[in-house]
Amino acid sequence: MKLSIAVASLAAATAQAHYTFPSIGNTADWQYVRTAANFQSNGPVTDVTSDAIRCYERNPGTGAPGIYNVTAGSTLTYNAKASISHPGPMALYIAKVPSGQTAATWDGKGRVWSKIYQDKPTLGGSMSWPSQNARSISVNIPRCLQNGDYLLRAEHIALHSAGSVNGAQYYISCAQISVSGGSGTYSPRNLVSFPGAYGPNDPGVLINIYYPIPTSYTPPGPAVETC
C-alpha cells in the first residue's frame, strides 16, 4: 500500500511539473490555440520524427474555435498553463496559411515554418534559462509580414533528461492568428518543416546540461528571422 501511494505521489508530482501553452493574449484557454493532445495530462512529445512535433494536436484537422486578429509589429503574449518549470530553450515559429485555406483549416505541413523568437541560456557555473518559471512569453509579430492568416507555434524544449536519445521533452501548441498592417516584405531565408527541423541526435537536443556543465549552447533549428 505504501509503495502504491509513493508511486501515485511521484506520478502526480511529475504531471504538475509539466505544462501546456493553451492561450494567447488575454483570451480563454483553447479559444484561439488548437487543443493539444496533452491538454489534460500536460505530458510532452519526445519523438521529433512524429507528426505530433508540429502542433501536438488532440484532433488533427480540427482547428480552434477562433482566429485572433493581430497587427504586424505588435507584441503578443503566448501563455503557459502553470509555469515553464523545466530548463531549456523557448522558441516561436510562424507559418503563412496558403491561399484558399484559413488558420482554422490548414495542417501546417511542409517547409513553411520560420523562427521569429528564440531564447538562450546564460552560461557560467550553471545554465540559467530566461524562460524557466515564466508564465508567458512575449513575441514581436514581424512588421514586415504579409497580411493574412498564420499559424503561430510555441515550443519549449525541456532538457533536464536530454542526456539520452529521445530524453528531451517538447511542449508545443499552435495558435491561429490573422495579421494585418504588415508591409509584405517578409522573406525568410531558413524555412523548416515539422517533423524535419530537428533530429534526435542534434547537439541542442541530445545534451547533458548538468555535468560537465556546457560552455556553449546553440538551440536546434534555424536562426531567428528579422525584417
Side-chain angles (χ1 to χ4, degrees):
M1 178 64 73
K2 289 182 179 179
L3 178 60
S4 297
I5 293 173
V7 170
S9 299
L10 178 60
T14 300
Q16 290 172 357
H18 296 170
Y19 34 96
T20 60
F21 292 98
S23 67
I24 53 176
N26 296 313
T27 65
D29 291 356
W30 313 119
Q31 181 180 1
Y32 298 100
V33 176
R34 296 180 177 183
T35 302
N38 65 342
F39 81 108
Q40 289 180 319
S41 70
N42 292 350
V45 180
T46 57
D47 182 0
V48 295
T49 67
S50 72
D51 280 347
I53 201 71
R54 186 178 307 120
C55 289
Y56 202 12
E57 294 176 68
R58 180 191 182 193
N59 296 307
T62 302
I67 299 173
Y68 189 80
N69 293 321
V70 180
T71 302
S74 66
T75 298
L76 181 65
T77 57
Y78 214 124
N79 307 311
K81 193 74 169 181
S83 64
I84 302 171
S85 56
H86 292 311
M90 183 79 202
L92 285 107
Y93 290 80
I94 200 163
K96 180 76 166 61
V97 176
S99 177
Q101 300 192 59
T102 72
T105 62
W106 185 47
D107 59 14
K109 291 182 179 179
R111 289 183 68 247
V112 293
W113 296 93
S114 58
K115 186 184 286 183
I116 60 171
Y117 174 90
Q118 177 74 72
D119 66 18
K120 296 181 180 180
T122 300
L123 301 169
S126 63
M127 301 180 79
S128 176
W129 302 87
S131 54
Q132 191 167 5
N133 298 319
R135 291 181 176 270
S136 65
I137 299 297
S138 296
V139 59
N140 179 262
I141 303 301
R143 65 184 183 279
C144 53
L145 289 180
Q146 296 178 352
N147 294 339
D149 282 9
Y150 289 81
L151 293 182
L152 179 64
R153 177 182 178 274
E155 172 196 84
H156 186 258
I157 308 176
L159 298 177
H160 59 290
S161 298
S164 59
V165 174
N166 294 330
Q169 298 178 356
Y170 301 81
Y171 297 88
I172 300 162
S173 69
C174 287
Q176 302 171 173
I177 64 174
S178 180
V179 175
S180 62
S183 68
T185 59
Y186 188 64
S187 183
R189 293 166 294 175
N190 298 295
L191 292 173
V192 296
S193 62
F194 291 101
Y198 315 150
N201 295 296
D202 286 0
V205 169
L206 179 59
I207 183 173
N208 185 332
I209 64 172
Y210 298 111
Y211 186 83
I213 298 171
T215 57
S216 65
Y217 179 79
T218 301
V224 173
E225 300 285 349
T226 58
C227 290

PDB file of all heavy atoms in Angstrom, residues 122-160:
ATOM      1  N   THR A 122      22.071  31.765 -20.044  1.00  0.00           N
ATOM      2  CA  THR A 122      23.263  32.415 -19.524  1.00  0.00           C
ATOM      3  C   THR A 122      24.180  31.320 -19.009  1.00  0.00           C
ATOM      4  O   THR A 122      23.756  30.437 -18.261  1.00  0.00           O
ATOM      5  CB  THR A 122      22.910  33.383 -18.385  1.00  0.00           C
ATOM      6  OG1 THR A 122      22.018  34.390 -18.892  1.00  0.00           O
ATOM      7  CG2 THR A 122      24.151  34.042 -17.821  1.00  0.00           C
ATOM      8  N   LEU A 123      25.447  31.351 -19.423  1.00  0.00           N
ATOM      9  CA  LEU A 123      26.386  30.295 -19.087  1.00  0.00           C
ATOM     10  C   LEU A 123      27.338  30.745 -17.981  1.00  0.00           C
ATOM     11  O   LEU A 123      27.621  31.924 -17.821  1.00  0.00           O
ATOM     12  CB  LEU A 123      27.180  29.884 -20.321  1.00  0.00           C
ATOM     13  CG  LEU A 123      26.351  29.382 -21.500  1.00  0.00           C
ATOM     14  CD1 LEU A 123      27.215  29.270 -22.749  1.00  0.00           C
ATOM     15  CD2 LEU A 123      25.710  28.046 -21.176  1.00  0.00           C
ATOM     16  N   GLY A 124      27.804  29.778 -17.221  1.00  0.00           N
ATOM     17  CA  GLY A 124      28.723  30.073 -16.124  1.00  0.00           C
ATOM     18  C   GLY A 124      28.833  28.856 -15.233  1.00  0.00           C
ATOM     19  O   GLY A 124      29.078  27.752 -15.703  1.00  0.00           O
ATOM     20  N   GLY A 125      28.609  29.038 -13.929  1.00  0.00           N
ATOM     21  CA  GLY A 125      28.630  27.914 -13.006  1.00  0.00           C
ATOM     22  C   GLY A 125      27.474  26.970 -13.209  1.00  0.00           C
ATOM     23  O   GLY A 125      27.490  25.825 -12.746  1.00  0.00           O
ATOM     24  N   SER A 126      26.444  27.446 -13.924  1.00  0.00           N
ATOM     25  CA  SER A 126      25.287  26.621 -14.292  1.00  0.00           C
ATOM     26  C   SER A 126      24.688  27.238 -15.540  1.00  0.00           C
ATOM     27  O   SER A 126      25.165  28.269 -16.026  1.00  0.00           O
ATOM     28  CB  SER A 126      24.259  26.570 -13.157  1.00  0.00           C
ATOM     29  OG  SER A 126      23.744  27.873 -12.897  1.00  0.00           O
ATOM     30  N   MET A 127      23.632  26.609 -16.071  1.00  0.00           N
ATOM     31  CA  MET A 127      22.930  27.170 -17.222  1.00  0.00           C
ATOM     32  C   MET A 127      21.630  27.786 -16.717  1.00  0.00           C
ATOM     33  O   MET A 127      20.776  27.097 -16.163  1.00  0.00           O
ATOM     34  CB  MET A 127      22.649  26.087 -18.262  1.00  0.00           C
ATOM     35  CG  MET A 127      23.902  25.408 -18.790  1.00  0.00           C
ATOM     36  SD  MET A 127      23.536  24.113 -20.017  1.00  0.00           S
ATOM     37  CE  MET A 127      23.251  25.101 -21.487  1.00  0.00           C
ATOM     38  N   SER A 128      21.496  29.095 -16.892  1.00  0.00           N
ATOM     39  CA  SER A 128      20.299  29.811 -16.443  1.00  0.00           C
ATOM     40  C   SER A 128      19.447  30.151 -17.656  1.00  0.00           C
ATOM     41  O   SER A 128      19.909  30.822 -18.582  1.00  0.00           O
ATOM     42  CB  SER A 128      20.710  31.087 -15.703  1.00  0.00           C
ATOM     43  OG  SER A 128      19.581  31.838 -15.328  1.00  0.00           O
ATOM     44  N   TRP A 129      18.191  29.697 -17.643  1.00  0.00           N
ATOM     45  CA  TRP A 129      17.317  29.824 -18.813  1.00  0.00           C
ATOM     46  C   TRP A 129      16.295  30.933 -18.596  1.00  0.00           C
ATOM     47  O   TRP A 129      15.563  30.921 -17.609  1.00  0.00           O
ATOM     48  CB  TRP A 129      16.602  28.501 -19.070  1.00  0.00           C
ATOM     49  CG  TRP A 129      17.552  27.378 -19.287  1.00  0.00           C
ATOM     50  CD1 TRP A 129      18.119  26.582 -18.346  1.00  0.00           C
ATOM     51  CD2 TRP A 129      18.089  26.946 -20.541  1.00  0.00           C
ATOM     52  NE1 TRP A 129      18.977  25.672 -18.923  1.00  0.00           N
ATOM     53  CE2 TRP A 129      18.971  25.873 -20.270  1.00  0.00           C
ATOM     54  CE3 TRP A 129      17.912  27.362 -21.865  1.00  0.00           C
ATOM     55  CZ2 TRP A 129      19.665  25.214 -21.281  1.00  0.00           C
ATOM     56  CZ3 TRP A 129      18.601  26.705 -22.864  1.00  0.00           C
ATOM     57  CH2 TRP A 129      19.460  25.643 -22.576  1.00  0.00           C
ATOM     58  N   PRO A 130      16.187  31.899 -19.506  1.00  0.00           N
ATOM     59  CA  PRO A 130      15.281  33.036 -19.302  1.00  0.00           C
ATOM     60  C   PRO A 130      13.808  32.665 -19.238  1.00  0.00           C
ATOM     61  O   PRO A 130      13.018  33.377 -18.614  1.00  0.00           O
ATOM     62  CB  PRO A 130      15.569  33.951 -20.499  1.00  0.00           C
ATOM     63  CG  PRO A 130      16.318  33.134 -21.480  1.00  0.00           C
ATOM     64  CD  PRO A 130      17.002  32.046 -20.726  1.00  0.00           C
ATOM     65  N   SER A 131      13.426  31.553 -19.867  1.00  0.00           N
ATOM     66  CA  SER A 131      12.005  31.171 -19.864  1.00  0.00           C
ATOM     67  C   SER A 131      11.607  30.319 -18.661  1.00  0.00           C
ATOM     68  O   SER A 131      10.412  30.130 -18.410  1.00  0.00           O
ATOM     69  CB  SER A 131      11.661  30.416 -21.151  1.00  0.00           C
ATOM     70  OG  SER A 131      12.526  29.308 -21.339  1.00  0.00           O
ATOM     71  N   GLN A 132      12.582  29.798 -17.917  1.00  0.00           N
ATOM     72  CA  GLN A 132      12.233  28.903 -16.811  1.00  0.00           C
ATOM     73  C   GLN A 132      11.452  29.655 -15.741  1.00  0.00           C
ATOM     74  O   GLN A 132      11.836  30.738 -15.314  1.00  0.00           O
ATOM     75  CB  GLN A 132      13.474  28.254 -16.211  1.00  0.00           C
ATOM     76  CG  GLN A 132      13.135  27.131 -15.238  1.00  0.00           C
ATOM     77  CD  GLN A 132      14.343  26.287 -14.873  1.00  0.00           C
ATOM     78  OE1 GLN A 132      15.479  26.566 -15.270  1.00  0.00           O
ATOM     79  NE2 GLN A 132      14.120  25.235 -14.106  1.00  0.00           N
ATOM     80  N   ASN A 133      10.334  29.068 -15.341  1.00  0.00           N
ATOM     81  CA  ASN A 133       9.391  29.602 -14.354  1.00  0.00           C
ATOM     82  C   ASN A 133       8.516  30.740 -14.889  1.00  0.00           C
ATOM     83  O   ASN A 133       7.709  31.301 -14.143  1.00  0.00           O
ATOM     84  CB  ASN A 133      10.100  30.056 -13.077  1.00  0.00           C
ATOM     85  CG  ASN A 133      10.802  28.906 -12.388  1.00  0.00           C
ATOM     86  OD1 ASN A 133      10.273  27.814 -12.302  1.00  0.00           O
ATOM     87  ND2 ASN A 133      12.018  29.143 -11.903  1.00  0.00           N
ATOM     88  N   ALA A 134       8.675  31.077 -16.172  1.00  0.00           N
ATOM     89  CA  ALA A 134       7.817  32.107 -16.765  1.00  0.00           C
ATOM     90  C   ALA A 134       6.410  31.564 -16.990  1.00  0.00           C
ATOM     91  O   ALA A 134       6.215  30.367 -17.224  1.00  0.00           O
ATOM     92  CB  ALA A 134       8.409  32.587 -18.082  1.00  0.00           C
ATOM     93  N   ARG A 135       5.435  32.453 -16.939  1.00  0.00           N
ATOM     94  CA  ARG A 135       4.044  32.082 -17.214  1.00  0.00           C
ATOM     95  C   ARG A 135       3.582  32.553 -18.587  1.00  0.00           C
ATOM     96  O   ARG A 135       2.497  32.188 -19.036  1.00  0.00           O
ATOM     97  CB  ARG A 135       3.126  32.649 -16.131  1.00  0.00           C
ATOM     98  CG  ARG A 135       3.330  31.972 -14.775  1.00  0.00           C
ATOM     99  CD  ARG A 135       2.392  32.521 -13.721  1.00  0.00           C
ATOM    100  NE  ARG A 135       2.531  31.799 -12.465  1.00  0.00           N
ATOM    101  CZ  ARG A 135       1.823  30.726 -12.137  1.00  0.00           C
ATOM    102  NH1 ARG A 135       0.926  30.248 -13.000  1.00  0.00           N
ATOM    103  NH2 ARG A 135       1.999  30.132 -10.978  1.00  0.00           N
ATOM    104  N   SER A 136       4.389  33.363 -19.239  1.00  0.00           N
ATOM    105  CA  SER A 136       4.076  33.795 -20.600  1.00  0.00           C
ATOM    106  C   SER A 136       5.356  34.235 -21.291  1.00  0.00           C
ATOM    107  O   SER A 136       6.346  34.586 -20.629  1.00  0.00           O
ATOM    108  CB  SER A 136       3.056  34.938 -20.605  1.00  0.00           C
ATOM    109  OG  SER A 136       3.597  36.092 -20.003  1.00  0.00           O
ATOM    110  N   ILE A 137       5.322  34.199 -22.601  1.00  0.00           N
ATOM    111  CA  ILE A 137       6.428  34.641 -23.435  1.00  0.00           C
ATOM    112  C   ILE A 137       5.897  35.713 -24.374  1.00  0.00           C
ATOM    113  O   ILE A 137       4.875  35.527 -25.037  1.00  0.00           O
ATOM    114  CB  ILE A 137       7.007  33.472 -24.255  1.00  0.00           C
ATOM    115  CG1 ILE A 137       7.545  32.377 -23.326  1.00  0.00           C
ATOM    116  CG2 ILE A 137       8.097  33.964 -25.197  1.00  0.00           C
ATOM    117  CD1 ILE A 137       8.700  32.788 -22.446  1.00  0.00           C
ATOM    118  N   SER A 138       6.586  36.847 -24.435  1.00  0.00           N
ATOM    119  CA  SER A 138       6.188  37.930 -25.328  1.00  0.00           C
ATOM    120  C   SER A 138       6.975  37.841 -26.627  1.00  0.00           C
ATOM    121  O   SER A 138       8.207  37.726 -26.608  1.00  0.00           O
ATOM    122  CB  SER A 138       6.439  39.285 -24.661  1.00  0.00           C
ATOM    123  OG  SER A 138       5.624  39.443 -23.517  1.00  0.00           O
ATOM    124  N   VAL A 139       6.271  37.909 -27.732  1.00  0.00           N
ATOM    125  CA  VAL A 139       6.914  37.815 -29.035  1.00  0.00           C
ATOM    126  C   VAL A 139       6.456  38.974 -29.910  1.00  0.00           C
ATOM    127  O   VAL A 139       5.280  39.359 -29.898  1.00  0.00           O
ATOM    128  CB  VAL A 139       6.595  36.466 -29.725  1.00  0.00           C
ATOM    129  CG1 VAL A 139       5.102  36.280 -29.913  1.00  0.00           C
ATOM    130  CG2 VAL A 139       7.316  36.338 -31.057  1.00  0.00           C
ATOM    131  N   ASN A 140       7.395  39.553 -30.646  1.00  0.00           N
ATOM    132  CA  ASN A 140       7.054  40.607 -31.585  1.00  0.00           C
ATOM    133  C   ASN A 140       6.621  39.972 -32.905  1.00  0.00           C
ATOM    134  O   ASN A 140       7.344  39.166 -33.477  1.00  0.00           O
ATOM    135  CB  ASN A 140       8.251  41.536 -31.812  1.00  0.00           C
ATOM    136  CG  ASN A 140       7.940  42.646 -32.807  1.00  0.00           C
ATOM    137  OD1 ASN A 140       8.275  42.560 -33.982  1.00  0.00           O
ATOM    138  ND2 ASN A 140       7.284  43.680 -32.330  1.00  0.00           N
ATOM    139  N   ILE A 141       5.428  40.340 -33.355  1.00  0.00           N
ATOM    140  CA  ILE A 141       4.935  39.860 -34.650  1.00  0.00           C
ATOM    141  C   ILE A 141       5.581  40.727 -35.725  1.00  0.00           C
ATOM    142  O   ILE A 141       5.353  41.937 -35.761  1.00  0.00           O
ATOM    143  CB  ILE A 141       3.401  39.958 -34.722  1.00  0.00           C
ATOM    144  CG1 ILE A 141       2.753  39.175 -33.570  1.00  0.00           C
ATOM    145  CG2 ILE A 141       2.902  39.442 -36.064  1.00  0.00           C
ATOM    146  CD1 ILE A 141       3.093  37.708 -33.514  1.00  0.00           C
ATOM    147  N   PRO A 142       6.436  40.159 -36.577  1.00  0.00           N
ATOM    148  CA  PRO A 142       7.230  40.981 -37.503  1.00  0.00           C
ATOM    149  C   PRO A 142       6.381  41.972 -38.304  1.00  0.00           C
ATOM    150  O   PRO A 142       5.342  41.618 -38.866  1.00  0.00           O
ATOM    151  CB  PRO A 142       7.878  39.940 -38.423  1.00  0.00           C
ATOM    152  CG  PRO A 142       7.985  38.714 -37.565  1.00  0.00           C
ATOM    153  CD  PRO A 142       6.746  38.715 -36.728  1.00  0.00           C
ATOM    154  N   ARG A 143       6.859  43.212 -38.331  1.00  0.00           N
ATOM    155  CA  ARG A 143       6.119  44.276 -39.020  1.00  0.00           C
ATOM    156  C   ARG A 143       6.117  44.080 -40.535  1.00  0.00           C
ATOM    157  O   ARG A 143       5.317  44.696 -41.247  1.00  0.00           O
ATOM    158  CB  ARG A 143       6.724  45.638 -38.695  1.00  0.00           C
ATOM    159  CG  ARG A 143       8.139  45.838 -39.218  1.00  0.00           C
ATOM    160  CD  ARG A 143       8.738  47.169 -38.795  1.00  0.00           C
ATOM    161  NE  ARG A 143      10.068  47.378 -39.365  1.00  0.00           N
ATOM    162  CZ  ARG A 143      11.179  46.857 -38.880  1.00  0.00           C
ATOM    163  NH1 ARG A 143      11.114  46.092 -37.803  1.00  0.00           N
ATOM    164  NH2 ARG A 143      12.346  47.090 -39.454  1.00  0.00           N
ATOM    165  N   CYS A 144       7.016  43.219 -41.032  1.00  0.00           N
ATOM    166  CA  CYS A 144       7.143  43.032 -42.480  1.00  0.00           C
ATOM    167  C   CYS A 144       6.324  41.859 -43.008  1.00  0.00           C
ATOM    168  O   CYS A 144       6.416  41.520 -44.192  1.00  0.00           O
ATOM    169  CB  CYS A 144       8.610  42.842 -42.849  1.00  0.00           C
ATOM    170  SG  CYS A 144       9.438  41.532 -41.913  1.00  0.00           S
ATOM    171  N   LEU A 145       5.532  41.215 -42.162  1.00  0.00           N
ATOM    172  CA  LEU A 145       4.721  40.090 -42.631  1.00  0.00           C
ATOM    173  C   LEU A 145       3.725  40.536 -43.694  1.00  0.00           C
ATOM    174  O   LEU A 145       3.254  41.679 -43.709  1.00  0.00           O
ATOM    175  CB  LEU A 145       3.949  39.467 -41.470  1.00  0.00           C
ATOM    176  CG  LEU A 145       4.728  38.663 -40.430  1.00  0.00           C
ATOM    177  CD1 LEU A 145       3.769  38.127 -39.373  1.00  0.00           C
ATOM    178  CD2 LEU A 145       5.498  37.514 -41.065  1.00  0.00           C
ATOM    179  N   GLN A 146       3.372  39.600 -44.557  1.00  0.00           N
ATOM    180  CA  GLN A 146       2.248  39.812 -45.451  1.00  0.00           C
ATOM    181  C   GLN A 146       0.966  39.685 -44.645  1.00  0.00           C
ATOM    182  O   GLN A 146       0.895  38.942 -43.665  1.00  0.00           O
ATOM    183  CB  GLN A 146       2.253  38.766 -46.568  1.00  0.00           C
ATOM    184  CG  GLN A 146       3.439  38.835 -47.499  1.00  0.00           C
ATOM    185  CD  GLN A 146       3.399  37.741 -48.554  1.00  0.00           C
ATOM    186  OE1 GLN A 146       2.572  36.837 -48.504  1.00  0.00           O
ATOM    187  NE2 GLN A 146       4.294  37.823 -49.514  1.00  0.00           N
ATOM    188  N   ASN A 147      -0.047  40.401 -45.048  1.00  0.00           N
ATOM    189  CA  ASN A 147      -1.336  40.277 -44.373  1.00  0.00           C
ATOM    190  C   ASN A 147      -1.946  38.909 -44.664  1.00  0.00           C
ATOM    191  O   ASN A 147      -1.719  38.322 -45.721  1.00  0.00           O
ATOM    192  CB  ASN A 147      -2.296  41.371 -44.833  1.00  0.00           C
ATOM    193  CG  ASN A 147      -1.828  42.763 -44.420  1.00  0.00           C
ATOM    194  OD1 ASN A 147      -1.024  42.903 -43.484  1.00  0.00           O
ATOM    195  ND2 ASN A 147      -2.304  43.782 -45.097  1.00  0.00           N
ATOM    196  N   GLY A 148      -2.695  38.390 -43.719  1.00  0.00           N
ATOM    197  CA  GLY A 148      -3.353  37.109 -43.915  1.00  0.00           C
ATOM    198  C   GLY A 148      -3.285  36.229 -42.688  1.00  0.00           C
ATOM    199  O   GLY A 148      -2.821  36.649 -41.619  1.00  0.00           O
ATOM    200  N   ASP A 149      -3.730  35.001 -42.845  1.00  0.00           N
ATOM    201  CA  ASP A 149      -3.778  34.047 -41.737  1.00  0.00           C
ATOM    202  C   ASP A 149      -2.437  33.335 -41.563  1.00  0.00           C
ATOM    203  O   ASP A 149      -1.738  33.042 -42.546  1.00  0.00           O
ATOM    204  CB  ASP A 149      -4.860  32.996 -41.988  1.00  0.00           C
ATOM    205  CG  ASP A 149      -6.265  33.521 -41.695  1.00  0.00           C
ATOM    206  OD1 ASP A 149      -6.407  34.732 -41.467  1.00  0.00           O
ATOM    207  OD2 ASP A 149      -7.201  32.705 -41.706  1.00  0.00           O
ATOM    208  N   TYR A 150      -2.132  33.019 -40.295  1.00  0.00           N
ATOM    209  CA  TYR A 150      -0.899  32.317 -39.948  1.00  0.00           C
ATOM    210  C   TYR A 150      -1.162  31.328 -38.818  1.00  0.00           C
ATOM    211  O   TYR A 150      -2.123  31.491 -38.043  1.00  0.00           O
ATOM    212  CB  TYR A 150       0.172  33.306 -39.448  1.00  0.00           C
ATOM    213  CG  TYR A 150       0.765  34.196 -40.495  1.00  0.00           C
ATOM    214  CD1 TYR A 150       0.100  35.344 -40.910  1.00  0.00           C
ATOM    215  CD2 TYR A 150       2.006  33.909 -41.059  1.00  0.00           C
ATOM    216  CE1 TYR A 150       0.651  36.189 -41.870  1.00  0.00           C
ATOM    217  CE2 TYR A 150       2.563  34.742 -42.022  1.00  0.00           C
ATOM    218  CZ  TYR A 150       1.881  35.882 -42.420  1.00  0.00           C
ATOM    219  OH  TYR A 150       2.434  36.699 -43.375  1.00  0.00           O
ATOM    220  N   LEU A 151      -0.286  30.340 -38.724  1.00  0.00           N
ATOM    221  CA  LEU A 151      -0.182  29.541 -37.513  1.00  0.00           C
ATOM    222  C   LEU A 151       1.053  30.023 -36.757  1.00  0.00           C
ATOM    223  O   LEU A 151       2.113  30.236 -37.352  1.00  0.00           O
ATOM    224  CB  LEU A 151      -0.045  28.053 -37.835  1.00  0.00           C
ATOM    225  CG  LEU A 151      -1.256  27.369 -38.472  1.00  0.00           C
ATOM    226  CD1 LEU A 151      -0.974  25.874 -38.688  1.00  0.00           C
ATOM    227  CD2 LEU A 151      -2.502  27.542 -37.621  1.00  0.00           C
ATOM    228  N   LEU A 152       0.891  30.219 -35.460  1.00  0.00           N
ATOM    229  CA  LEU A 152       1.975  30.638 -34.575  1.00  0.00           C
ATOM    230  C   LEU A 152       2.244  29.477 -33.626  1.00  0.00           C
ATOM    231  O   LEU A 152       1.379  29.102 -32.841  1.00  0.00           O
ATOM    232  CB  LEU A 152       1.572  31.895 -33.808  1.00  0.00           C
ATOM    233  CG  LEU A 152       2.597  32.461 -32.823  1.00  0.00           C
ATOM    234  CD1 LEU A 152       3.850  32.937 -33.558  1.00  0.00           C
ATOM    235  CD2 LEU A 152       1.981  33.598 -32.017  1.00  0.00           C
ATOM    236  N   ARG A 153       3.436  28.920 -33.720  1.00  0.00           N
ATOM    237  CA  ARG A 153       3.779  27.697 -32.989  1.00  0.00           C
ATOM    238  C   ARG A 153       4.701  27.995 -31.816  1.00  0.00           C
ATOM    239  O   ARG A 153       5.797  28.524 -31.991  1.00  0.00           O
ATOM    240  CB  ARG A 153       4.454  26.710 -33.953  1.00  0.00           C
ATOM    241  CG  ARG A 153       4.948  25.411 -33.331  1.00  0.00           C
ATOM    242  CD  ARG A 153       5.626  24.558 -34.402  1.00  0.00           C
ATOM    243  NE  ARG A 153       6.175  23.319 -33.861  1.00  0.00           N
ATOM    244  CZ  ARG A 153       7.385  23.222 -33.311  1.00  0.00           C
ATOM    245  NH1 ARG A 153       8.169  24.289 -33.244  1.00  0.00           N
ATOM    246  NH2 ARG A 153       7.811  22.055 -32.840  1.00  0.00           N
ATOM    247  N   ALA A 154       4.263  27.663 -30.614  1.00  0.00           N
ATOM    248  CA  ALA A 154       5.077  27.792 -29.408  1.00  0.00           C
ATOM    249  C   ALA A 154       5.740  26.460 -29.111  1.00  0.00           C
ATOM    250  O   ALA A 154       5.100  25.401 -29.192  1.00  0.00           O
ATOM    251  CB  ALA A 154       4.216  28.217 -28.225  1.00  0.00           C
ATOM    252  N   GLU A 155       7.017  26.516 -28.734  1.00  0.00           N
ATOM    253  CA  GLU A 155       7.758  25.288 -28.436  1.00  0.00           C
ATOM    254  C   GLU A 155       8.750  25.547 -27.309  1.00  0.00           C
ATOM    255  O   GLU A 155       9.610  26.417 -27.413  1.00  0.00           O
ATOM    256  CB  GLU A 155       8.521  24.829 -29.676  1.00  0.00           C
ATOM    257  CG  GLU A 155       9.473  23.659 -29.433  1.00  0.00           C
ATOM    258  CD  GLU A 155      10.462  23.497 -30.567  1.00  0.00           C
ATOM    259  OE1 GLU A 155      11.504  24.199 -30.566  1.00  0.00           O
ATOM    260  OE2 GLU A 155      10.180  22.697 -31.460  1.00  0.00           O
ATOM    261  N   HIS A 156       8.615  24.790 -26.251  1.00  0.00           N
ATOM    262  CA  HIS A 156       9.639  24.786 -25.210  1.00  0.00           C
ATOM    263  C   HIS A 156      10.250  23.393 -25.161  1.00  0.00           C
ATOM    264  O   HIS A 156       9.529  22.386 -25.092  1.00  0.00           O
ATOM    265  CB  HIS A 156       9.086  25.143 -23.841  1.00  0.00           C
ATOM    266  CG  HIS A 156      10.164  25.266 -22.808  1.00  0.00           C
ATOM    267  ND1 HIS A 156      10.431  24.282 -21.887  1.00  0.00           N
ATOM    268  CD2 HIS A 156      11.088  26.245 -22.592  1.00  0.00           C
ATOM    269  CE1 HIS A 156      11.453  24.652 -21.137  1.00  0.00           C
ATOM    270  NE2 HIS A 156      11.871  25.835 -21.544  1.00  0.00           N
ATOM    271  N   ILE A 157      11.585  23.330 -25.219  1.00  0.00           N
ATOM    272  CA  ILE A 157      12.293  22.054 -25.156  1.00  0.00           C
ATOM    273  C   ILE A 157      12.896  21.906 -23.770  1.00  0.00           C
ATOM    274  O   ILE A 157      13.804  22.656 -23.397  1.00  0.00           O
ATOM    275  CB  ILE A 157      13.402  21.961 -26.225  1.00  0.00           C
ATOM    276  CG1 ILE A 157      12.860  22.279 -27.620  1.00  0.00           C
ATOM    277  CG2 ILE A 157      14.023  20.561 -26.205  1.00  0.00           C
ATOM    278  CD1 ILE A 157      13.925  22.291 -28.703  1.00  0.00           C
ATOM    279  N   ALA A 158      12.380  20.969 -22.990  1.00  0.00           N
ATOM    280  CA  ALA A 158      12.897  20.712 -21.650  1.00  0.00           C
ATOM    281  C   ALA A 158      14.093  19.776 -21.752  1.00  0.00           C
ATOM    282  O   ALA A 158      14.002  18.693 -22.340  1.00  0.00           O
ATOM    283  CB  ALA A 158      11.803  20.107 -20.772  1.00  0.00           C
ATOM    284  N   LEU A 159      15.210  20.181 -21.167  1.00  0.00           N
ATOM    285  CA  LEU A 159      16.467  19.453 -21.333  1.00  0.00           C
ATOM    286  C   LEU A 159      16.937  18.745 -20.068  1.00  0.00           C
ATOM    287  O   LEU A 159      18.058  18.239 -20.023  1.00  0.00           O
ATOM    288  CB  LEU A 159      17.565  20.418 -21.811  1.00  0.00           C
ATOM    289  CG  LEU A 159      17.341  21.089 -23.168  1.00  0.00           C
ATOM    290  CD1 LEU A 159      18.476  22.068 -23.456  1.00  0.00           C
ATOM    291  CD2 LEU A 159      17.210  20.067 -24.284  1.00  0.00           C
ATOM    292  N   HIS A 160      16.106  18.667 -19.059  1.00  0.00           N
ATOM    293  CA  HIS A 160      16.557  18.082 -17.789  1.00  0.00           C
ATOM    294  C   HIS A 160      16.867  16.595 -17.914  1.00  0.00           C
ATOM    295  O   HIS A 160      17.636  16.056 -17.117  1.00  0.00           O
ATOM    296  CB  HIS A 160      15.506  18.315 -16.698  1.00  0.00           C
ATOM    297  CG  HIS A 160      14.171  17.734 -17.009  1.00  0.00           C
ATOM    298  ND1 HIS A 160      13.357  18.251 -17.997  1.00  0.00           N
ATOM    299  CD2 HIS A 160      13.492  16.690 -16.469  1.00  0.00           C
ATOM    300  CE1 HIS A 160      12.238  17.544 -18.046  1.00  0.00           C
ATOM    301  NE2 HIS A 160      12.298  16.592 -17.137  1.00  0.00           N
TER     302      HIS A 160
END
